[in-house]
Amino acid sequence: MVALIRAGASGIALLALGLSLSACGGSQDVAVSNVADDFYESVDKGDGAAACELLAPVTRSELEQSSGKECAAAIVEEAPDIREDGGVVEVFGTMAQVRWGSDTVFLARMPNGWRVFAAGCEARADAPYDCVVKGA
Amino acid sequence: MRRFVRENSLGLFFGLLFLAALVGQAFAGWHQVNDQLDAEQLGHLTFWRYLTSADFAVDVAENWQSEFLQFWLYLMATVWLLQRGSPESKELDKAGRETDEEQKIGKYADADSPAWAKTGGWRTGIYSSSLAIVMGLIFLGSWLVQSVAGWAAYNETRLQQLRDPIGWWSYLGHSEFWARTLQNWQSEFLAVGTLAVLAVYLRQRGSSQSKPVGEPHTTTGVDG
Protein backbone atom coordinates (compact mmCIF):
# COMPACT_ATOMS: atom_id res chain seq x y z
CA MET A 1 0.00 0.00 0.00
CA VAL A 2 2.89 2.36 0.79
CA ALA A 3 4.35 1.63 -2.64
CA LEU A 4 1.01 2.47 -4.21
CA ILE A 5 0.78 5.76 -2.31
CA ARG A 6 4.32 6.62 -3.48
CA ALA A 7 3.37 5.72 -7.04
CA GLY A 8 0.31 7.94 -6.66
CA ALA A 9 2.49 10.80 -5.43
CA SER A 10 4.78 10.36 -8.44
CA GLY A 11 1.77 10.48 -10.72
CA ILE A 12 0.52 13.66 -9.11
CA ALA A 13 4.01 15.22 -9.46
CA LEU A 14 4.02 14.35 -13.16
CA LEU A 15 0.52 15.72 -13.51
CA ALA A 16 1.60 18.98 -11.89
CA LEU A 17 4.61 19.18 -14.19
CA GLY A 18 2.50 18.59 -17.26
CA LEU A 19 -0.13 21.11 -16.28
CA SER A 20 2.51 23.70 -15.37
CA LEU A 21 3.87 23.43 -18.90
CA SER A 22 0.73 25.00 -20.27
CA ALA A 23 1.00 27.80 -17.71
CA CYS A 24 4.67 28.44 -18.60
CA GLY A 25 3.54 30.08 -21.84
CA GLY A 26 1.90 32.95 -19.93
CA SER A 27 5.14 34.20 -18.39
CA GLN A 28 6.75 34.31 -21.82
CA ASP A 29 3.96 36.24 -23.54
CA VAL A 30 5.31 39.66 -22.55
CA ALA A 31 8.87 38.85 -23.62
CA VAL A 32 7.64 37.57 -27.00
CA SER A 33 5.38 40.55 -27.50
CA ASN A 34 8.20 43.00 -26.65
CA VAL A 35 10.59 41.48 -29.16
CA ALA A 36 7.93 41.50 -31.90
CA ASP A 37 7.10 45.15 -31.12
CA ASP A 38 10.79 46.16 -31.02
CA PHE A 39 11.39 44.40 -34.33
CA TYR A 40 8.60 46.24 -36.16
CA GLU A 41 9.49 49.53 -34.47
CA SER A 42 13.05 49.19 -35.78
CA VAL A 43 11.79 48.42 -39.28
CA ASP A 44 9.39 51.35 -39.05
CA LYS A 45 12.22 53.71 -38.08
CA GLY A 46 14.41 52.35 -40.85
CA ASP A 47 16.91 51.03 -38.30
CA GLY A 48 17.85 47.85 -40.15
CA ALA A 49 20.80 47.06 -37.87
CA ALA A 50 18.55 46.99 -34.79
CA ALA A 51 15.94 44.88 -36.60
CA CYS A 52 18.60 42.41 -37.72
CA GLU A 53 19.78 42.01 -34.10
CA LEU A 54 16.33 40.61 -33.37
CA LEU A 55 16.36 38.04 -36.17
CA ALA A 56 17.16 34.38 -35.55
CA PRO A 57 20.58 33.54 -37.09
CA VAL A 58 19.01 31.17 -39.62
CA THR A 59 16.53 33.85 -40.72
CA ARG A 60 19.24 36.46 -41.01
CA SER A 61 21.45 34.30 -43.22
CA GLU A 62 18.48 33.21 -45.34
CA LEU A 63 17.51 36.85 -45.88
CA GLU A 64 21.05 37.85 -46.88
CA GLN A 65 21.32 34.89 -49.21
CA SER A 66 17.98 35.43 -50.93
CA SER A 67 18.35 39.23 -51.27
CA GLY A 68 22.08 39.34 -52.04
CA LYS A 69 22.37 42.28 -49.61
CA GLU A 70 23.52 42.96 -46.08
CA CYS A 71 20.81 42.16 -43.56
CA ALA A 72 20.39 45.78 -42.41
CA ALA A 73 19.57 46.94 -45.92
CA ALA A 74 17.48 43.93 -46.89
CA ILE A 75 15.27 43.87 -43.82
CA VAL A 76 14.11 47.47 -44.22
CA GLU A 77 13.20 46.79 -47.82
CA GLU A 78 11.52 43.44 -47.34
CA ALA A 79 9.82 43.43 -43.93
CA PRO A 80 6.37 44.99 -43.95
CA ASP A 81 5.87 48.26 -42.11
CA ILE A 82 3.09 47.36 -39.71
CA ARG A 83 2.22 49.29 -36.56
CA GLU A 84 -0.69 47.73 -34.78
CA ASP A 85 -1.22 47.16 -31.09
CA GLY A 86 -2.74 44.19 -29.32
CA GLY A 87 -1.39 41.24 -31.23
CA VAL A 88 -2.51 37.78 -30.06
CA VAL A 89 0.47 35.93 -28.56
CA GLU A 90 0.80 32.12 -28.47
CA VAL A 91 3.83 30.46 -26.87
CA PHE A 92 4.65 26.74 -27.00
CA GLY A 93 8.08 25.69 -25.74
CA THR A 94 10.78 27.23 -27.90
CA MET A 95 8.38 28.68 -30.48
CA ALA A 96 5.92 31.57 -30.43
CA GLN A 97 3.55 33.42 -32.72
CA VAL A 98 2.14 36.95 -32.62
CA ARG A 99 -0.96 37.51 -34.77
CA TRP A 100 -2.27 40.90 -35.76
CA GLY A 101 -5.17 41.49 -38.11
CA SER A 102 -3.06 41.82 -41.22
CA ASP A 103 0.23 40.22 -40.29
CA THR A 104 1.74 37.38 -38.31
CA VAL A 105 5.25 36.90 -36.94
CA PHE A 106 6.85 33.68 -35.68
CA LEU A 107 9.58 33.72 -33.02
CA ALA A 108 12.07 31.15 -31.76
CA ARG A 109 13.65 31.08 -28.30
CA MET A 110 17.43 31.25 -28.77
CA PRO A 111 20.08 31.14 -26.01
CA ASN A 112 20.10 34.98 -26.01
CA GLY A 113 16.31 35.39 -25.91
CA TRP A 114 13.37 35.41 -28.30
CA ARG A 115 14.27 36.12 -31.93
CA VAL A 116 12.14 36.61 -35.04
CA PHE A 117 12.04 33.40 -37.04
CA ALA A 118 9.62 34.57 -39.75
CA ALA A 119 7.90 37.90 -40.38
CA GLY A 120 5.40 39.41 -42.76
CA CYS A 121 3.43 36.17 -42.77
CA GLU A 122 0.06 35.75 -44.40
CA ALA A 123 -2.27 32.85 -43.59
CA ARG A 124 -3.11 30.37 -46.35
CA ALA A 125 -5.89 27.82 -46.21
CA ASP A 126 -4.63 24.31 -45.33
CA ALA A 127 -0.99 25.35 -45.80
CA PRO A 128 1.83 26.96 -43.81
CA TYR A 129 1.90 30.76 -43.68
CA ASP A 130 3.44 32.57 -46.63
CA CYS A 131 6.19 34.76 -45.13
CA VAL A 132 8.18 37.62 -46.65
CA VAL A 133 11.10 36.90 -44.30
CA LYS A 134 11.61 33.39 -42.96
CA GLY A 135 14.24 31.09 -41.56
CA ALA A 136 14.12 28.11 -43.83
CA MET B 1 19.52 -3.85 6.56
CA ARG B 2 20.51 -6.92 4.53
CA ARG B 3 17.28 -8.56 5.55
CA PHE B 4 15.27 -5.51 4.51
CA VAL B 5 16.96 -5.48 1.10
CA ARG B 6 16.40 -9.21 0.58
CA GLU B 7 12.76 -9.07 1.62
CA ASN B 8 12.05 -6.04 -0.56
CA SER B 9 14.38 -6.86 -3.43
CA LEU B 10 11.63 -6.98 -6.06
CA GLY B 11 10.42 -3.43 -5.39
CA LEU B 12 13.96 -2.10 -4.90
CA PHE B 13 15.21 -3.76 -8.10
CA PHE B 14 12.46 -2.29 -10.26
CA GLY B 15 12.66 1.07 -8.49
CA LEU B 16 16.35 1.36 -9.31
CA LEU B 17 15.82 0.12 -12.87
CA PHE B 18 13.10 2.75 -13.27
CA LEU B 19 15.35 5.57 -12.07
CA ALA B 20 18.28 4.45 -14.23
CA ALA B 21 16.06 4.16 -17.31
CA LEU B 22 14.43 7.56 -16.63
CA VAL B 23 17.84 9.26 -16.32
CA GLY B 24 18.99 7.49 -19.49
CA GLN B 25 15.82 8.60 -21.29
CA ALA B 26 16.39 12.19 -20.15
CA PHE B 27 19.94 12.31 -21.53
CA ALA B 28 19.10 10.49 -24.77
CA GLY B 29 16.00 12.64 -25.31
CA TRP B 30 17.98 15.82 -24.64
CA HIS B 31 20.52 14.91 -27.33
CA GLN B 32 17.74 13.87 -29.70
CA VAL B 33 15.93 17.20 -29.36
CA ASN B 34 19.15 19.16 -29.79
CA ASP B 35 19.93 17.14 -32.89
CA GLN B 36 16.55 18.16 -34.33
CA LEU B 37 17.17 21.80 -33.35
CA ASP B 38 20.57 21.60 -35.10
CA ALA B 39 18.81 20.57 -38.28
CA GLU B 40 16.51 23.59 -37.96
CA GLN B 41 19.40 25.87 -36.90
CA LEU B 42 17.40 26.91 -33.86
CA GLY B 43 20.07 26.74 -31.14
CA HIS B 44 20.32 24.28 -28.26
CA LEU B 45 18.30 23.52 -25.13
CA THR B 46 20.06 23.24 -21.78
CA PHE B 47 19.51 19.95 -19.96
CA TRP B 48 17.30 21.63 -17.35
CA ARG B 49 15.18 23.30 -20.02
CA TYR B 50 14.72 19.93 -21.71
CA LEU B 51 13.71 18.31 -18.39
CA THR B 52 10.96 20.90 -17.97
CA SER B 53 9.91 20.77 -21.63
CA ALA B 54 6.69 19.37 -23.06
CA ASP B 55 8.78 17.02 -25.20
CA PHE B 56 10.18 15.21 -22.15
CA ALA B 57 6.87 15.24 -20.27
CA VAL B 58 4.89 13.73 -23.15
CA ASP B 59 7.49 11.03 -23.77
CA VAL B 60 7.36 10.01 -20.09
CA ALA B 61 3.60 10.32 -19.65
CA GLU B 62 2.57 8.42 -22.78
CA ASN B 63 4.44 5.35 -21.52
CA TRP B 64 3.24 5.72 -17.94
CA GLN B 65 -0.42 5.89 -18.92
CA SER B 66 -0.23 2.79 -21.06
CA GLU B 67 1.56 0.77 -18.37
CA PHE B 68 -0.93 1.74 -15.67
CA LEU B 69 -3.84 1.11 -18.05
CA GLN B 70 -2.41 -2.33 -18.76
CA PHE B 71 -2.23 -3.28 -15.09
CA TRP B 72 -5.58 -1.71 -14.29
CA LEU B 73 -7.24 -3.66 -17.11
CA TYR B 74 -5.46 -6.82 -16.07
CA LEU B 75 -6.67 -6.39 -12.50
CA MET B 76 -10.24 -5.86 -13.63
CA ALA B 77 -10.30 -8.47 -16.41
CA THR B 78 -8.93 -11.19 -14.14
CA VAL B 79 -11.90 -10.74 -11.81
CA TRP B 80 -14.28 -12.09 -14.45
CA LEU B 81 -12.30 -13.48 -17.39
CA LEU B 82 -10.52 -16.84 -17.32
CA GLN B 83 -7.75 -18.57 -19.22
CA ARG B 84 -7.80 -22.35 -18.95
CA GLY B 85 -4.40 -23.68 -17.89
CA SER B 86 -2.89 -20.27 -17.11
CA PRO B 87 -1.34 -19.37 -13.74
CA GLU B 88 -2.48 -15.80 -14.48
CA SER B 89 -6.12 -16.92 -14.32
CA LYS B 90 -8.26 -17.84 -11.35
CA GLU B 91 -9.62 -21.34 -11.11
CA LEU B 92 -12.40 -21.86 -13.64
CA ASP B 93 -15.24 -21.93 -11.07
CA LYS B 94 -14.18 -18.72 -9.34
CA ALA B 95 -15.04 -16.02 -11.89
CA GLY B 96 -16.44 -12.87 -10.28
CA ARG B 97 -15.85 -10.93 -7.06
CA GLU B 98 -16.19 -14.07 -4.87
CA THR B 99 -17.89 -14.34 -1.48
CA ASP B 100 -17.01 -12.33 1.63
CA GLU B 101 -15.79 -15.55 3.20
CA GLU B 102 -13.41 -16.26 0.31
CA GLN B 103 -12.21 -12.66 0.41
CA LYS B 104 -11.86 -12.63 4.24
CA ILE B 105 -13.81 -9.43 4.76
CA GLY B 106 -16.25 -8.26 7.46
CA LYS B 107 -17.05 -11.04 9.90
CA TYR B 108 -14.83 -13.44 7.95
CA ALA B 109 -11.72 -11.29 8.43
CA ASP B 110 -8.70 -12.76 10.20
CA ALA B 111 -7.27 -11.19 13.32
CA ASP B 112 -4.39 -9.75 11.32
CA SER B 113 -6.50 -8.66 8.30
CA PRO B 114 -6.17 -4.98 7.31
CA ALA B 115 -8.41 -2.76 9.48
CA TRP B 116 -10.58 -1.60 6.56
CA ALA B 117 -11.20 -5.23 5.54
CA LYS B 118 -12.74 -5.89 8.96
CA THR B 119 -14.94 -2.82 9.46
CA GLY B 120 -17.48 -3.42 6.69
CA GLY B 121 -19.51 -0.66 5.03
CA TRP B 122 -17.96 1.94 2.70
CA ARG B 123 -14.45 1.50 4.08
CA THR B 124 -14.38 -2.17 3.15
CA GLY B 125 -16.04 -1.32 -0.18
CA ILE B 126 -13.28 1.16 -1.05
CA TYR B 127 -10.51 -1.03 0.31
CA SER B 128 -11.84 -3.97 -1.75
CA SER B 129 -11.07 -1.97 -4.93
CA SER B 130 -8.21 0.20 -3.65
CA LEU B 131 -5.59 -1.29 -5.94
CA ALA B 132 -7.72 -0.73 -9.04
CA ILE B 133 -8.73 2.77 -7.87
CA VAL B 134 -5.11 3.91 -7.41
CA MET B 135 -3.89 2.29 -10.63
CA GLY B 136 -6.85 3.77 -12.50
CA LEU B 137 -6.23 7.24 -11.10
CA ILE B 138 -2.55 7.13 -12.05
CA PHE B 139 -3.57 6.01 -15.55
CA LEU B 140 -6.05 8.87 -15.92
CA GLY B 141 -3.59 11.42 -14.48
CA SER B 142 -0.79 10.26 -16.78
CA TRP B 143 -3.10 10.32 -19.79
CA LEU B 144 -4.17 13.85 -18.92
CA VAL B 145 -0.52 14.91 -18.63
CA GLN B 146 0.18 13.24 -21.98
CA SER B 147 -2.66 15.20 -23.57
CA VAL B 148 -1.47 18.56 -22.18
CA ALA B 149 2.25 18.02 -22.81
CA GLY B 150 1.60 16.36 -26.18
CA TRP B 151 -0.57 19.30 -27.19
CA ALA B 152 2.20 21.78 -26.25
CA ALA B 153 4.90 19.74 -28.04
CA TYR B 154 2.74 19.32 -31.14
CA ASN B 155 1.98 23.04 -31.29
CA GLU B 156 5.70 23.81 -30.95
CA THR B 157 6.28 21.69 -34.07
CA ARG B 158 3.40 23.40 -35.88
CA LEU B 159 4.91 26.82 -35.15
CA GLN B 160 8.28 25.65 -36.50
CA GLN B 161 6.40 24.67 -39.66
CA LEU B 162 4.81 28.18 -39.79
CA ARG B 163 1.32 26.81 -39.04
CA ASP B 164 -1.24 28.01 -36.52
CA PRO B 165 -1.37 26.14 -33.18
CA ILE B 166 -4.53 24.16 -32.38
CA GLY B 167 -6.63 24.10 -29.18
CA TRP B 168 -6.42 21.36 -26.54
CA TRP B 169 -9.90 20.04 -27.39
CA SER B 170 -8.94 19.78 -31.06
CA TYR B 171 -5.76 17.96 -30.05
CA LEU B 172 -7.81 15.37 -28.14
CA GLY B 173 -9.43 14.35 -31.42
CA HIS B 174 -6.24 14.70 -33.45
CA SER B 175 -4.41 11.79 -35.08
CA GLU B 176 -1.17 12.82 -33.32
CA PHE B 177 -2.70 12.23 -29.87
CA TRP B 178 -4.28 8.92 -30.84
CA ALA B 179 -1.19 7.67 -32.71
CA ARG B 180 0.91 8.27 -29.57
CA THR B 181 -1.75 6.64 -27.38
CA LEU B 182 -2.58 3.58 -29.47
CA GLN B 183 1.00 2.71 -30.36
CA ASN B 184 1.59 2.23 -26.63
CA TRP B 185 -1.69 0.46 -25.91
CA GLN B 186 -1.28 -2.18 -28.63
CA SER B 187 2.12 -3.26 -27.33
CA GLU B 188 0.88 -3.47 -23.72
CA PHE B 189 -2.15 -5.55 -24.67
CA LEU B 190 0.01 -7.87 -26.76
CA ALA B 191 2.54 -8.39 -23.95
CA VAL B 192 -0.01 -9.12 -21.22
CA GLY B 193 -2.13 -11.38 -23.44
CA THR B 194 0.96 -13.26 -24.55
CA LEU B 195 2.06 -13.83 -20.94
CA ALA B 196 -1.37 -15.16 -19.96
CA VAL B 197 -1.49 -17.64 -22.87
CA LEU B 198 2.17 -18.70 -23.10
CA ALA B 199 2.21 -19.44 -19.38
CA VAL B 200 -0.24 -22.27 -20.09
CA TYR B 201 2.45 -24.23 -21.95
CA LEU B 202 5.78 -22.70 -20.94
CA ARG B 203 7.42 -22.48 -17.51
CA GLN B 204 9.94 -20.40 -15.61
CA ARG B 205 11.20 -22.45 -12.73
CA GLY B 206 10.87 -20.61 -9.43
CA SER B 207 8.84 -17.65 -10.73
CA SER B 208 5.62 -16.63 -9.00
CA GLN B 209 4.25 -15.84 -12.46
CA SER B 210 4.69 -19.41 -13.72
CA LYS B 211 3.26 -22.76 -12.80
CA PRO B 212 5.68 -25.30 -11.29
CA VAL B 213 7.65 -26.90 -14.13
CA GLY B 214 5.96 -30.27 -13.74
CA GLU B 215 2.42 -28.94 -13.39
CA PRO B 216 0.10 -30.17 -16.20
CA HIS B 217 -0.97 -27.70 -18.92
CA THR B 218 -4.59 -28.16 -17.85
CA THR B 219 -4.07 -26.86 -14.29
CA THR B 220 -5.51 -23.37 -13.93
CA GLY B 221 -4.77 -20.75 -11.28
CA VAL B 222 -1.69 -22.38 -9.74
CA ASP B 223 1.44 -20.26 -9.22
CA GLY B 224 4.94 -21.67 -8.82
Side-chain angles (χ1 to χ4, degrees):
Chain A
M1 196 66 186
V2 173
L4 276 178
I5 291 167
R6 282 184 188 149
S10 305
I12 290 164
L14 186 67
L15 176 65
L17 171 66
L19 293 178
S20 68
L21 289 169
S22 57
C24 278
S27 62
Q28 293 294 324
D29 285 10
V30 176
V32 166
S33 186
N34 286 344
V35 171
D37 286 345
D38 289 349
F39 174 75
Y40 277 118
E41 202 172 298
S42 301
V43 171
D44 185 42
K45 283 196 254 172
D47 187 351
C52 285
E53 286 292 309
L54 296 173
L55 285 180
V58 62
T59 309
R60 187 179 175 136
S61 56
E62 185 71 24
L63 175 66
E64 289 180 336
Q65 212 166 26
S66 63
S67 67
K69 295 177 185 173
E70 289 287 310
C71 178
I75 192 72
V76 176
E77 279 177 28
E78 299 209 11
D81 177 15
I82 292 167
R83 298 307 311 273
E84 288 180 63
D85 291 327
V88 178
V89 180
E90 303 250 33
V91 181
F92 290 97
T94 60
M95 295 300 298
Q97 179 195 52
V98 185
R99 260 192 334 264
W100 293 278
S102 53
D103 184 45
T104 297
V105 61
F106 291 84
L107 298 98
R109 186 156 62 182
M110 310 300 294
N112 53 349
W114 288 98
R115 293 293 179 264
V116 173
F117 179 63
C121 301
E122 194 176 321
R124 293 183 297 180
D126 300 326
Y129 276 74
D130 184 26
C131 302
V132 176
V133 177
K134 64 179 179 179
Chain B
M1 182 65 182
R2 277 182 69 165
R3 186 178 166 192
F4 174 83
V5 170
R6 196 177 81 82
E7 291 182 355
N8 294 280
S9 52
L10 194 57
L12 290 169
F13 173 68
F14 279 102
L16 289 173
L17 272 187
F18 162 70
L19 289 176
L22 189 65
V23 170
Q25 181 193 346
F27 276 100
W30 177 45
H31 286 291
Q32 183 191 27
V33 163
N34 277 336
D35 184 56
Q36 288 163 356
L37 289 173
D38 274 343
E40 305 279 344
Q41 295 180 269
L42 286 173
H44 273 184
L45 288 184
T46 62
F47 184 60
W48 172 248
R49 187 150 273 174
Y50 172 68
L51 278 186
T52 56
S53 71
D55 277 315
F56 181 60
V58 69
D59 287 349
V60 171
E62 75 176 38
N63 285 282
W64 281 33
Q65 60 87 0
S66 64
E67 301 298 338
F68 283 97
L69 171 67
Q70 174 195 31
F71 283 113
W72 180 81
L73 271 180
Y74 204 49
L75 268 177
M76 302 310 291
T78 50
V79 174
W80 288 283
L81 304 183
L82 304 167
Q83 184 64 52
R84 180 185 291 275
S86 178
E88 300 293 322
S89 168
K90 296 200 288 189
E91 290 165 43
L92 300 177
D93 59 347
K94 288 198 169 172
R97 289 171 58 83
E98 303 181 12
T99 63
D100 287 0
E101 187 174 5
E102 287 168 319
Q103 289 291 313
K104 298 183 180 179
I105 56 179
K107 66 181 180 182
Y108 302 105
D110 292 336
D112 56 355
S113 291
W116 280 32
K118 295 178 190 171
T119 52
W122 64 270
R123 288 184 182 83
T124 300
I126 286 181
Y127 191 65
S128 297
S129 298
S130 54
L131 189 55
I133 290 171
V134 172
M135 299 296 260
L137 287 176
I138 297 175
F139 157 64
L140 290 174
S142 303
W143 204 20
L144 177 62
V145 171
Q146 181 202 323
S147 74
V148 174
W151 166 63
Y154 178 63
N155 275 340
E156 188 176 5
T157 302
R158 287 183 67 99
L159 291 175
Q160 282 171 1
Q161 296 167 342
L162 305 180
R163 299 161 77 196
D164 281 328
I166 62 173
W168 182 64
W169 282 110
S170 299
Y171 181 71
L172 291 186
H174 197 278
S175 55
E176 217 269 344
F177 174 66
W178 286 102
R180 275 185 181 276
T181 297
L182 292 169
Q183 68 164 340
N184 282 283
W185 285 6
Q186 58 85 13
S187 63
E188 305 302 341
F189 300 155
L190 173 69
V192 77
T194 301
L195 178 67
V197 174
L198 286 185
V200 175
Y201 306 103
L202 306 178
R203 309 284 186 270
Q204 181 55 55
R205 182 172 179 163
S207 174
S208 65
Q209 302 305 299
S210 167
K211 293 194 277 195
V213 179
E215 194 71 32
H217 296 334
T218 49
T219 309
T220 306
V222 174
D223 290 332

